[in-house]
Amino acid sequence: MKINALKYSFGVLLLIAQVSFAQIVITNKDFSFGTTGRIGAGYSPNADGKTGRQLNLNNQGSLGGRMDQGDYVDFLPAFHFTPVANGDSAKATKIDMQARLSFYSGGTFLGNVDSKSNHGMIIALPEAFVEARNIMGSNWDVWAGSRWLRYDDVHIADYFYFDDHSATGWGFRHKNTRFSMFFPAAIDTAATNSTPYSYTNVISGTKNLIYRQREVMILEQTIPFKNNIHQLKLLAEFHNLDKSGKNSMEQYASDQGWVFGGKLNSNLKTKIAGSFNQISVRYGTGIANGGDSGNTQTWRTYGAPNEITKTYKGAYSLTAVEHILLNLSNRWSANAYAVFTMSKGGSNSDNKALDHYNREIFNKKSEFNTGLRATYYVNNWFHILSELHYASRTDGNQNPASMVKLVLAPTIVPTAERSVWARPHIRLIAEVSRYNNQAMNSLYSPFLQQSGAKRFGTYLGVRTEWWVF
């Protein structure tokens, strides 16, 4: 009897082991792994503690140059499937599942901290989505999930300027027409922008924070002409933010916004291929008048609401961008940009007003940024990067704060490619910036906020940047 019981138990264990083993068998072999990042050491000789701080103006991100940005590392695992339909590979749907694991420094060098450190490591999952392209040989693509859906950028300023729609959502594309819908709201108690996305619901008798969802609908149309030398992209967006519930402690009105814009991409003929010119204009109204601090997502509402209606009706933002790359020869490339932005919130004030949290914030701003990077190819593997940037920002009725920054960066390029896009880079970086009186006296940069009012800022560093896909 005991022998039969042992046999039975052994058979059950063997069956469980087989089932468990079957559950972890991976038959898909189409896997890729990418990574991007920038990490290294930097310090400012004339800063308190000699801590390397970004020299750019506040509220502009990397407009003004990105070489003194903080550390980050992204890992991009992806699975790829191409099922064949009836043996016809031309009708096969291409399926991708991609994720992005992001690690950012919270203030010090990324390699010196972890998630338990004060101002330590910031961890995010900005991408996790599935996309199906060329469905059954058709011109239809579809996707759902969370993704960094963004296109052209001014790389030397890390500025995705026209169509950065990064958020959670879904969308589809048919030939040159794309429709997307995004839901960027998050439960919060002190929103970084001025449109609260959550409120306290007491319908159950207890206090619970719940969503007040923003719906963003985006239609994009690309029109190629002159044998694809030029491409015109048209953009239209509608944003809707529902009111808070009748059982909520806070009363937020419903709000809407629109965005319209156009971007022209042109391929330029130069001695070395790859030159282009990009020019765009975008106008947003209502709650779609974002963004700020170097972010350009239109759902990052700028300014304060109207004092009476508490909505952003009448708010606006106009942004114009010029971006050009010229590969002049096998010795020289030049990359230049100019950005102009003017924004106002829903308040009637041209200076400061109260937001939904009764914080006094600026309700109007204007910005102008321009810069140039010249790349000199000493040989295939040694390049010299030099940059000159000018940045200006006016908040409310204050005087403009401005900065001029000069950068020199001898760079080793292990791939031995004479291209502005060659990576990885290992750079020796030297920067100096000069601030006007308004910027200096109001401590209008991360460097000045740490070091006090100084006319000049400095930054020295050795950093690497890579893209591997």
Side-chain angles (χ1 to χ4, degrees), residues 57-63 158-161 164 192-194 282 288-304 317 319 341-344 361-369 392-396 444:
L57 296 181
N58 288 340
N59 304 312
Q60 292 198 334
S62 290
L63 279 169
D158 197 23
Y159 186 69
F160 289 83
Y161 56 89
D164 183 355
T192 55
N193 57 35
S194 301
R282 190 183 72 184
N289 74 337
D292 200 19
S293 298
N295 295 302
T296 64
Q297 291 100 335
T298 53
W299 47 265
R300 295 180 182 269
T301 307
Y302 173 80
S317 181
T319 302
T341 302
M342 179 177 289
S343 304
K344 186 177 181 180
I361 63 173
F362 283 108
N363 190 60
K364 190 175 182 179
K365 67 165 184 176
S366 63
E367 301 173 280
F368 177 72
N369 301 80
S392 175
R393 176 169 172 130
T394 302
D395 290 313
Y444 208 79

Side-chain angles (χ1 to χ4, degrees), residues 56 62-67 156-157 337 369-373 386-391 403-407 431:
N56 295 348
S62 290
L63 279 169
R66 65 178 297 174
M67 288 197 185
I156 64 175
Y337 72 94
N369 301 80
T370 186
L372 168 69
R373 174 187 287 181
S386 56
E387 296 181 4
L388 179 63
H389 299 270
Y390 171 77
M403 175 206 71
V404 177
K405 183 164 75 173
L406 180 64
V407 183
E431 299 184 349

Side-chain angles (χ1 to χ4, degrees), residues 157-194:
D158 197 23
Y159 186 69
F160 289 83
Y161 56 89
F162 180 77
D163 39 15
D164 183 355
H165 310 313
S166 304
T168 296
W170 58 270
F172 62 85
R173 183 183 68 87
H174 182 261
K175 294 184 178 180
N176 292 324
T177 304
R178 181 187 291 271
F179 176 83
S180 306
M181 192 164 183
F182 294 94
F183 305 88
I187 291 181
D188 54 19
T189 55
T192 55
N193 57 35
S194 301

Side-chain angles (χ1 to χ4, degrees), residues 8 22 31 50 122 137 160 162 204 206 215 223 241 248 278 286 293 321-322 373 388-389 429 438 443 451:
Y8 176 76
F31 174 79
K50 291 185 167 50
I122 301 168
F160 289 83
F162 180 77
S204 62
T206 59
E215 303 142 8
I223 305 171
L241 185 60
S248 65
Q278 301 165 347
S293 298
V321 177
E322 164 64 22
R373 174 187 287 181
L388 179 63
H389 299 270
I429 303 167
Q438 176 66 23
L443 306 180
S451 299

Side-chain angles (χ1 to χ4, degrees), residues 1 31 50 112 117-118 133 166 178 192 216 231 244 252-253 256 259 291 302-303 316 352 373 422 424 434 457 464 469:
M1 187 72 177
F31 174 79
K50 291 185 167 50
N112 299 343
S117 303
N118 187 19
R133 294 174 286 113
S166 304
R178 181 187 291 271
T192 55
V216 181
Q231 284 194 340
S244 55
Y252 301 132
Q256 290 78 37
V259 177
Y302 173 80
Y316 66 85
K352 289 185 175 181
R373 174 187 287 181
R434 184 186 188 278
T464 181
F469 300 103

Side-chain angles (χ1 to χ4, degrees), residues 32 68 172 196 348 357 396:
S32 65
D68 50 12
F172 62 85
N348 293 321
Y357 296 103

Side-chain angles (χ1 to χ4, degrees), residues 77-81 95-99 127-131:
F79 296 91
H80 312 281
F81 306 84
I95 307 168
D96 297 305
M97 183 277 160
Q98 179 175 304
E127 283 195 315
F129 69 93
V130 171
E131 182 176 31

